[in-house]
Amino acid sequence: MLDDFFVRALVAGIGLAVVTGPVGCFIVWRRLAYFGETIAHSSLLGVAVAILSDVNLTLGIFFTATVVVFIVFLLERREGLPTDTILGLLAHGGLALGLVLLSFFPGVRIDLHALLFGDILAVSRHDLLVIWVGGAIVLGLLCCLWTPLLLATISNDLSTVESRKPLMSKLLFGVLVAAVIAVAVKIVGVLLIVALLIIPAATARRFANIPETMAIGAALVGVVSVAGGLFASLQFDTPSGPSIVVAALICFVLARIPIVFLKGTKQTTQT
């Protein structure tokens, strides 16, 4: 018989995986891993903003992450700096600024370990509501943006010809990533959320022939990773958040084994 806290963690993780799978596909397709890392690192600054403003932690993180998204797009268009330079500046600057601001609140108890690596076993019923309702909204918006985002991923010129406004689609997608990270920080933490966005999508890419299949496959891999990681954490008494990411990594490795095996077989046959 599983404890209630474990069941809540499982339900929360599955809800998150269903969202991070499709969103992560666009991160993989558009090579935005570092962008996701930048938004995740800004979460600590969002925590400080939430404490300073006396608002909900998730709202504070979402607001700050959204501001960072807009700053990235403005700097890309006006400053002429390479995108990776802008992302590196904001990622490390936001992380450092967040840690400095948090040091000014000695009376507030903050579990930095939970923020960095997550604490999915502490998920409450209210958190479940936020995850599933917020996830449904994100998926609904992603469905509306699916075609313009896909066109912009293939070709900005094609998207412009089709009057799909690629820049607006990219900006809205950035806001969706900010929303996912704001919800996910409590579960897998700042340092691991990007892994949950990228690894299931990269795993599903091995088997997908069309974008929609990859999105569904990424969600399924995420669900398997969450379930496998949580049960492994229960069995071996390991940290739950990292265990989920390790389970996702194992799925990725297992998915690549047939390719390596086939390549080795072909080389042997040719020899």
Side-chain angles (χ1 to χ4, degrees):
M1 185 68 178
L2 298 175
D3 293 326
D4 288 344
F5 73 89
F6 187 86
V7 174
R8 287 197 300 270
L10 188 61
V11 173
I14 290 173
L16 181 61
V18 169
V19 179
T20 56
V23 172
C25 288
F26 280 102
I27 290 179
V28 171
W29 291 331
R30 300 179 66 85
R31 299 179 181 179
L32 294 175
Y34 203 15
F35 174 77
E37 196 76 35
T38 300
I39 305 303
H41 283 181
S42 69
S43 299
L44 281 180
L45 180 57
V47 172
V49 170
I51 295 174
L52 185 63
S53 305
D54 194 24
V55 298
N56 180 269
L57 189 65
T58 302
L59 290 178
I61 293 174
F62 174 67
F63 172 78
T64 305
T66 301
V67 170
V68 171
V69 169
F70 277 90
I71 291 175
V72 169
F73 277 83
L74 287 175
L75 291 179
E76 280 182 337
R77 290 173 62 84
R78 296 184 180 182
E79 295 299 324
L81 291 172
T83 300
D84 60 343
T85 301
I86 294 172
L87 293 177
L89 186 152
L90 292 174
H92 300 295
L95 180 63
L97 183 57
L99 290 172
V100 169
L101 289 178
L102 288 174
S103 68
F104 286 101
F105 302 100
V108 179
R109 295 187 61 184
I110 301 172
D111 189 352
L112 285 178
H113 185 275
L115 287 174
L116 293 175
F117 300 102
D119 191 8
I120 191 171
L121 297 179
V123 169
S124 65
R125 295 181 184 275
H126 177 264
D127 293 326
L128 288 179
L129 182 64
V130 171
I131 291 167
W132 280 90
V133 173
I137 294 173
V138 169
L139 285 179
L141 292 174
L142 185 62
C143 288
C144 296
L145 293 171
W146 186 269
T147 300
L149 275 174
L150 207 54
L151 286 175
T153 301
I154 297 171
S155 169
N156 275 330
D157 293 335
L158 177 61
S159 181
T160 303
V161 169
E162 294 289 332
S163 300
R164 295 293 186 171
K165 299 180 179 179
L167 184 61
M168 181 60 68
S169 299
K170 293 177 185 177
L171 187 59
L172 291 176
F173 177 71
V175 175
L176 289 184
V177 174
V180 171
I181 289 176
V183 172
V185 162
K186 186 171 184 177
I187 296 179
V188 292
V190 171
L191 300 181
L192 302 178
I193 176 55
V194 180
L196 197 58
L197 282 165
I198 295 173
I199 298 176
T203 304
R205 192 173 190 174
R206 160 74 177 81
F207 306 100
N209 295 320
I210 59 175
E212 290 77 9
T213 302
M214 179 172 164
I216 295 172
L220 292 176
V221 172
V223 170
V224 171
S225 301
V226 167
L230 282 176
F231 279 103
S233 174
L234 183 66
Q235 179 69 28
F236 301 108
D237 193 26
T238 55
S240 53
S243 296
I244 291 173
V245 177
V246 169
L249 185 61
I250 291 173
C251 290
F252 175 79
V253 172
L254 292 176
R256 306 306 296 182
I257 287 177
I259 296 179
V260 176
F261 177 76
L262 287 175
K263 287 183 178 179
T265 303
K266 288 181 180 179
Q267 290 176 355
T268 303
T269 304
Q270 291 173 357
T271 304

mmCIF file of all heavy atoms in Angstrom, residues 184-214:
data_model
loop_
_atom_site.group_PDB
_atom_site.id
_atom_site.type_symbol
_atom_site.label_atom_id
_atom_site.label_comp_id
_atom_site.label_asym_id
_atom_site.label_seq_id
_atom_site.Cartn_x
_atom_site.Cartn_y
_atom_site.Cartn_z
ATOM 1 N N ALA A 184 7.150 23.691 -12.403
ATOM 2 C CA ALA A 184 7.972 22.500 -12.213
ATOM 3 C C ALA A 184 9.082 22.651 -11.189
ATOM 4 O O ALA A 184 9.626 21.647 -10.723
ATOM 5 C CB ALA A 184 8.595 22.094 -13.547
ATOM 6 N N VAL A 185 9.432 23.887 -10.835
ATOM 7 C CA VAL A 185 10.576 24.106 -9.945
ATOM 8 C C VAL A 185 10.403 23.349 -8.627
ATOM 9 O O VAL A 185 11.348 22.752 -8.105
ATOM 10 C CB VAL A 185 10.772 25.609 -9.684
ATOM 11 C CG1 VAL A 185 11.640 25.839 -8.458
ATOM 12 C CG2 VAL A 185 11.423 26.268 -10.896
ATOM 13 N N LYS A 186 9.202 23.343 -8.082
ATOM 14 C CA LYS A 186 8.982 22.679 -6.799
ATOM 15 C C LYS A 186 9.136 21.161 -6.905
ATOM 16 O O LYS A 186 9.442 20.484 -5.926
ATOM 17 C CB LYS A 186 7.589 23.023 -6.268
ATOM 18 C CG LYS A 186 7.328 22.493 -4.867
ATOM 19 C CD LYS A 186 6.041 23.032 -4.277
ATOM 20 C CE LYS A 186 5.859 22.562 -2.831
ATOM 21 N NZ LYS A 186 4.644 23.124 -2.217
ATOM 22 N N ILE A 187 8.957 20.625 -8.108
ATOM 23 C CA ILE A 187 8.985 19.177 -8.286
ATOM 24 C C ILE A 187 10.400 18.666 -8.544
ATOM 25 O O ILE A 187 10.893 17.785 -7.841
ATOM 26 C CB ILE A 187 8.048 18.761 -9.439
ATOM 27 C CG1 ILE A 187 6.606 19.105 -9.071
ATOM 28 C CG2 ILE A 187 8.185 17.284 -9.744
ATOM 29 C CD1 ILE A 187 5.609 18.754 -10.142
ATOM 30 N N VAL A 188 11.058 19.201 -9.571
ATOM 31 C CA VAL A 188 12.389 18.699 -9.916
ATOM 32 C C VAL A 188 13.491 19.728 -9.711
ATOM 33 O O VAL A 188 14.676 19.406 -9.846
ATOM 34 C CB VAL A 188 12.436 18.184 -11.376
ATOM 35 C CG1 VAL A 188 11.596 16.947 -11.522
ATOM 36 C CG2 VAL A 188 11.975 19.257 -12.344
ATOM 37 N N GLY A 189 13.143 20.966 -9.399
ATOM 38 C CA GLY A 189 14.149 21.963 -9.068
ATOM 39 C C GLY A 189 14.716 22.701 -10.272
ATOM 40 O O GLY A 189 14.532 22.313 -11.427
ATOM 41 N N VAL A 190 15.409 23.778 -9.970
ATOM 42 C CA VAL A 190 15.969 24.663 -10.994
ATOM 43 C C VAL A 190 16.973 23.927 -11.875
ATOM 44 O O VAL A 190 16.989 24.091 -13.100
ATOM 45 C CB VAL A 190 16.640 25.877 -10.323
ATOM 46 C CG1 VAL A 190 17.415 26.701 -11.341
ATOM 47 C CG2 VAL A 190 15.603 26.742 -9.625
ATOM 48 N N LEU A 191 17.822 23.108 -11.276
ATOM 49 C CA LEU A 191 18.921 22.489 -12.013
ATOM 50 C C LEU A 191 18.498 21.281 -12.843
ATOM 51 O O LEU A 191 19.238 20.832 -13.706
ATOM 52 C CB LEU A 191 20.036 22.068 -11.042
ATOM 53 C CG LEU A 191 20.673 23.192 -10.225
ATOM 54 C CD1 LEU A 191 21.771 22.644 -9.328
ATOM 55 C CD2 LEU A 191 21.230 24.278 -11.144
ATOM 56 N N LEU A 192 17.299 20.735 -12.586
ATOM 57 C CA LEU A 192 16.902 19.502 -13.252
ATOM 58 C C LEU A 192 15.730 19.666 -14.209
ATOM 59 O O LEU A 192 15.463 18.763 -15.010
ATOM 60 C CB LEU A 192 16.551 18.432 -12.201
ATOM 61 C CG LEU A 192 17.663 18.075 -11.211
ATOM 62 C CD1 LEU A 192 17.168 17.040 -10.208
ATOM 63 C CD2 LEU A 192 18.885 17.556 -11.938
ATOM 64 N N ILE A 193 15.029 20.798 -14.162
ATOM 65 C CA ILE A 193 13.835 20.949 -14.993
ATOM 66 C C ILE A 193 14.175 20.897 -16.477
ATOM 67 O O ILE A 193 13.431 20.315 -17.284
ATOM 68 C CB ILE A 193 13.085 22.259 -14.644
ATOM 69 C CG1 ILE A 193 11.899 22.463 -15.587
ATOM 70 C CG2 ILE A 193 14.001 23.466 -14.679
ATOM 71 C CD1 ILE A 193 10.923 21.325 -15.653
ATOM 72 N N VAL A 194 15.294 21.498 -16.873
ATOM 73 C CA VAL A 194 15.651 21.506 -18.294
ATOM 74 C C VAL A 194 15.919 20.086 -18.782
ATOM 75 O O VAL A 194 15.611 19.730 -19.921
ATOM 76 C CB VAL A 194 16.864 22.420 -18.546
ATOM 77 C CG1 VAL A 194 17.235 22.422 -20.027
ATOM 78 C CG2 VAL A 194 16.549 23.842 -18.102
ATOM 79 N N ALA A 195 16.492 19.251 -17.917
ATOM 80 C CA ALA A 195 16.733 17.852 -18.280
ATOM 81 C C ALA A 195 15.415 17.142 -18.568
ATOM 82 O O ALA A 195 15.310 16.349 -19.513
ATOM 83 C CB ALA A 195 17.483 17.140 -17.156
ATOM 84 N N LEU A 196 14.389 17.430 -17.775
ATOM 85 C CA LEU A 196 13.090 16.806 -17.974
ATOM 86 C C LEU A 196 12.418 17.327 -19.245
ATOM 87 O O LEU A 196 11.595 16.633 -19.837
ATOM 88 C CB LEU A 196 12.196 17.063 -16.756
ATOM 89 C CG LEU A 196 10.967 16.155 -16.602
ATOM 90 C CD1 LEU A 196 11.398 14.695 -16.542
ATOM 91 C CD2 LEU A 196 10.184 16.516 -15.356
ATOM 92 N N LEU A 197 12.778 18.533 -19.659
ATOM 93 C CA LEU A 197 12.253 19.068 -20.912
ATOM 94 C C LEU A 197 12.965 18.456 -22.120
ATOM 95 O O LEU A 197 12.343 18.211 -23.153
ATOM 96 C CB LEU A 197 12.421 20.594 -20.949
ATOM 97 C CG LEU A 197 11.418 21.424 -20.135
ATOM 98 C CD1 LEU A 197 11.928 22.849 -19.982
ATOM 99 C CD2 LEU A 197 10.047 21.413 -20.792
ATOM 100 N N ILE A 198 14.256 18.207 -21.992
ATOM 101 C CA ILE A 198 15.059 17.816 -23.152
ATOM 102 C C ILE A 198 15.144 16.296 -23.336
ATOM 103 O O ILE A 198 14.942 15.785 -24.449
ATOM 104 C CB ILE A 198 16.483 18.385 -23.020
ATOM 105 C CG1 ILE A 198 16.437 19.908 -23.063
ATOM 106 C CG2 ILE A 198 17.382 17.853 -24.140
ATOM 107 C CD1 ILE A 198 17.764 20.556 -22.776
ATOM 108 N N ILE A 199 15.429 15.560 -22.263
ATOM 109 C CA ILE A 199 15.742 14.135 -22.416
ATOM 110 C C ILE A 199 14.570 13.311 -22.979
ATOM 111 O O ILE A 199 14.765 12.534 -23.918
ATOM 112 C CB ILE A 199 16.239 13.547 -21.081
ATOM 113 C CG1 ILE A 199 17.541 14.242 -20.652
ATOM 114 C CG2 ILE A 199 16.489 12.043 -21.218
ATOM 115 C CD1 ILE A 199 18.067 13.795 -19.304
ATOM 116 N N PRO A 200 13.341 13.448 -22.454
ATOM 117 C CA PRO A 200 12.239 12.677 -23.054
ATOM 118 C C PRO A 200 12.010 13.012 -24.526
ATOM 119 O O PRO A 200 11.746 12.111 -25.342
ATOM 120 C CB PRO A 200 11.030 13.068 -22.197
ATOM 121 C CG PRO A 200 11.606 13.456 -20.879
ATOM 122 C CD PRO A 200 12.896 14.145 -21.228
ATOM 123 N N ALA A 201 12.130 14.294 -24.884
ATOM 124 C CA ALA A 201 11.951 14.682 -26.285
ATOM 125 C C ALA A 201 13.047 14.092 -27.160
ATOM 126 O O ALA A 201 12.789 13.601 -28.264
ATOM 127 C CB ALA A 201 11.937 16.206 -26.401
ATOM 128 N N ALA A 202 14.291 14.129 -26.679
ATOM 129 C CA ALA A 202 15.400 13.557 -27.439
ATOM 130 C C ALA A 202 15.249 12.047 -27.576
ATOM 131 O O ALA A 202 15.622 11.465 -28.613
ATOM 132 C CB ALA A 202 16.721 13.891 -26.743
ATOM 133 N N THR A 203 14.694 11.401 -26.569
ATOM 134 C CA THR A 203 14.458 9.957 -26.626
ATOM 135 C C THR A 203 13.390 9.617 -27.651
ATOM 136 O O THR A 203 13.554 8.700 -28.461
ATOM 137 C CB THR A 203 14.039 9.432 -25.244
ATOM 138 O OG1 THR A 203 15.027 9.783 -24.272
ATOM 139 C CG2 THR A 203 13.858 7.924 -25.264
ATOM 140 N N ALA A 204 12.285 10.371 -27.626
ATOM 141 C CA ALA A 204 11.172 10.104 -28.538
ATOM 142 C C ALA A 204 11.539 10.381 -29.986
ATOM 143 O O ALA A 204 10.961 9.792 -30.905
ATOM 144 C CB ALA A 204 9.960 10.954 -28.135
ATOM 145 N N ARG A 205 12.497 11.254 -30.208
ATOM 146 C CA ARG A 205 12.904 11.604 -31.576
ATOM 147 C C ARG A 205 13.419 10.392 -32.337
ATOM 148 O O ARG A 205 13.315 10.326 -33.564
ATOM 149 C CB ARG A 205 13.980 12.686 -31.521
ATOM 150 C CG ARG A 205 14.272 13.343 -32.853
ATOM 151 C CD ARG A 205 15.210 14.514 -32.687
ATOM 152 N NE ARG A 205 15.318 15.306 -33.893
ATOM 153 C CZ ARG A 205 15.975 16.452 -33.985
ATOM 154 N NH1 ARG A 205 16.587 16.946 -32.912
ATOM 155 N NH2 ARG A 205 16.021 17.113 -35.114
ATOM 156 N N ARG A 206 13.963 9.443 -31.610
ATOM 157 C CA ARG A 206 14.512 8.222 -32.220
ATOM 158 C C ARG A 206 13.424 7.421 -32.943
ATOM 159 O O ARG A 206 13.691 6.755 -33.944
ATOM 160 C CB ARG A 206 15.182 7.402 -31.111
ATOM 161 C CG ARG A 206 15.394 5.928 -31.391
ATOM 162 C CD ARG A 206 16.528 5.726 -32.376
ATOM 163 N NE ARG A 206 16.778 4.312 -32.583
ATOM 164 C CZ ARG A 206 16.080 3.528 -33.398
ATOM 165 N NH1 ARG A 206 15.082 4.031 -34.092
ATOM 166 N NH2 ARG A 206 16.389 2.258 -33.535
ATOM 167 N N PHE A 207 12.175 7.495 -32.472
ATOM 168 C CA PHE A 207 11.114 6.627 -32.997
ATOM 169 C C PHE A 207 10.046 7.385 -33.789
ATOM 170 O O PHE A 207 9.140 6.758 -34.335
ATOM 171 C CB PHE A 207 10.430 5.887 -31.838
ATOM 172 C CG PHE A 207 11.376 5.132 -30.958
ATOM 173 C CD1 PHE A 207 11.799 5.655 -29.738
ATOM 174 C CD2 PHE A 207 11.869 3.893 -31.345
ATOM 175 C CE1 PHE A 207 12.680 4.957 -28.922
ATOM 176 C CE2 PHE A 207 12.756 3.187 -30.533
ATOM 177 C CZ PHE A 207 13.161 3.716 -29.328
ATOM 178 N N ALA A 208 10.118 8.716 -33.832
ATOM 179 C CA ALA A 208 9.032 9.510 -34.411
ATOM 180 C C ALA A 208 9.270 9.815 -35.881
ATOM 181 O O ALA A 208 10.397 10.119 -36.288
ATOM 182 C CB ALA A 208 8.871 10.806 -33.626
ATOM 183 N N ASN A 209 8.207 9.736 -36.659
ATOM 184 C CA ASN A 209 8.264 10.092 -38.070
ATOM 185 C C ASN A 209 7.633 11.449 -38.351
ATOM 186 O O ASN A 209 7.958 12.086 -39.346
ATOM 187 C CB ASN A 209 7.555 9.025 -38.917
ATOM 188 C CG ASN A 209 8.255 7.678 -38.855
ATOM 189 O OD1 ASN A 209 9.473 7.614 -38.862
ATOM 190 N ND2 ASN A 209 7.480 6.615 -38.782
ATOM 191 N N ILE A 210 6.731 11.868 -37.463
ATOM 192 C CA ILE A 210 6.071 13.152 -37.621
ATOM 193 C C ILE A 210 6.113 13.888 -36.284
ATOM 194 O O ILE A 210 6.255 13.256 -35.225
ATOM 195 C CB ILE A 210 4.604 12.999 -38.097
ATOM 196 C CG1 ILE A 210 3.799 12.156 -37.100
ATOM 197 C CG2 ILE A 210 4.541 12.389 -39.487
ATOM 198 C CD1 ILE A 210 2.327 12.068 -37.450
ATOM 199 N N PRO A 211 5.998 15.223 -36.291
ATOM 200 C CA PRO A 211 6.100 15.995 -35.039
ATOM 201 C C PRO A 211 5.096 15.573 -33.977
ATOM 202 O O PRO A 211 5.441 15.497 -32.791
ATOM 203 C CB PRO A 211 5.845 17.430 -35.504
ATOM 204 C CG PRO A 211 6.255 17.446 -36.935
ATOM 205 C CD PRO A 211 5.893 16.099 -37.476
ATOM 206 N N GLU A 212 3.878 15.299 -34.378
ATOM 207 C CA GLU A 212 2.847 14.939 -33.395
ATOM 208 C C GLU A 212 3.184 13.630 -32.680
ATOM 209 O O GLU A 212 2.962 13.495 -31.470
ATOM 210 C CB GLU A 212 1.481 14.823 -34.091
ATOM 211 C CG GLU A 212 0.901 16.133 -34.573
ATOM 212 C CD GLU A 212 1.542 16.652 -35.845
ATOM 213 O OE1 GLU A 212 2.338 15.894 -36.472
ATOM 214 O OE2 GLU A 212 1.266 17.801 -36.235
ATOM 215 N N THR A 213 3.729 12.685 -33.433
ATOM 216 C CA THR A 213 4.136 11.409 -32.825
ATOM 217 C C THR A 213 5.255 11.619 -31.809
ATOM 218 O O THR A 213 5.262 11.005 -30.737
ATOM 219 C CB THR A 213 4.602 10.422 -33.913
ATOM 220 O OG1 THR A 213 3.554 10.223 -34.858
ATOM 221 C CG2 THR A 213 4.986 9.088 -33.291
ATOM 222 N N MET A 214 6.185 12.496 -32.143
ATOM 223 C CA MET A 214 7.281 12.780 -31.229
ATOM 224 C C MET A 214 6.770 13.431 -29.948
ATOM 225 O O MET A 214 7.243 13.119 -28.845
ATOM 226 C CB MET A 214 8.310 13.686 -31.909
ATOM 227 C CG MET A 214 9.492 14.045 -31.007
ATOM 228 S SD MET A 214 10.789 14.907 -31.914
ATOM 229 C CE MET A 214 11.760 15.596 -30.561
#
